[in-house]
Amino acid sequence: MSSSSDFQQDRHSFSGSPQKWTDFELPGDTLYYRFTSDMSNTEWGYKFTVTAGHLGRFQTGFEILKQMLSEERVVPHLPLAKIWEWQVGVACRQTGHQRLKAIHLLLKIVQCSAQRDCDLTLLKPLWQLFTHMENNLCHDAAKPGILLPLHRALAELFFVTENRVTELGSLQEYLLALNTEDHLHRCTAQ
């Protein structure tokens, strides 16, 4: 099975007992398959089920939510506080591209929220991750390099969020909520 007629893209091959078959996903709206028998058995063949788009799959949810957040007439009808809470949770739990996509959605929510829709203090675990990355960058100052995509994404998220809370007049509360008491003591001592 493949997503291309030449069977070169997203190819999945199976043979033998049905226990060897596993679920898989193919991008796009077309499935190509080829069945070949080696004539060693008199059974009729294989049966498989094709299901279009899975609800709850990360990529599908990401694309739908990204599109909804891009539509100005839709945004006022979205439960932004709940979506914010879910996306912060996703960004904290996931890694790799899924974490980057969740951060992208958080950034879109910050940019499109008209008032205090989101509990920005929920960003505390991501702030701690970001400050850890910043501290590691300072220690490696002798080795200039390129920021990792996660580091860049978090830098943009916190830059835009800081500007947003400044506009709303709540910068001090936001910064206090993100930092630990120990960090605040160290900053005061410095």
Side-chain angles (χ1 to χ4, degrees), residues 8-100:
Q8 298 300 308
Q9 296 175 2
D10 306 303
R11 183 181 175 144
H12 298 271
S13 297
F14 301 96
S15 67
S17 68
Q19 289 75 23
K20 293 183 178 180
W21 287 62
T22 59
D23 286 351
F24 62 92
E25 292 184 25
L26 288 179
D29 60 359
T30 306
L31 164 80
Y32 296 90
Y33 69 94
R34 182 182 304 146
F35 176 77
T36 307
S37 174
D38 64 3
M39 307 298 265
S40 65
N41 207 328
T42 58
E43 301 295 325
W44 64 272
Y46 287 98
K47 174 183 171 182
F48 59 90
T49 304
V50 177
T51 307
H54 292 282
L55 282 176
R57 297 292 179 149
F58 187 90
Q59 186 63 30
T60 302
F62 169 77
E63 291 298 334
I64 291 169
L65 193 51
K66 182 176 80 171
Q67 186 61 41
M68 290 171 67
L69 290 169
S70 298
E71 297 287 332
E72 286 183 33
R73 58 186 164 77
V74 174
V75 171
H77 304 287
L78 296 174
L80 286 181
K82 200 59 161 161
I83 294 170
W84 175 263
E85 186 179 330
W86 292 333
Q87 288 307 307
V88 169
V90 170
C92 289
R93 285 188 308 275
Q94 295 295 339
T95 59
H97 291 292
Q98 290 182 341
R99 176 179 270 172
L100 289 173

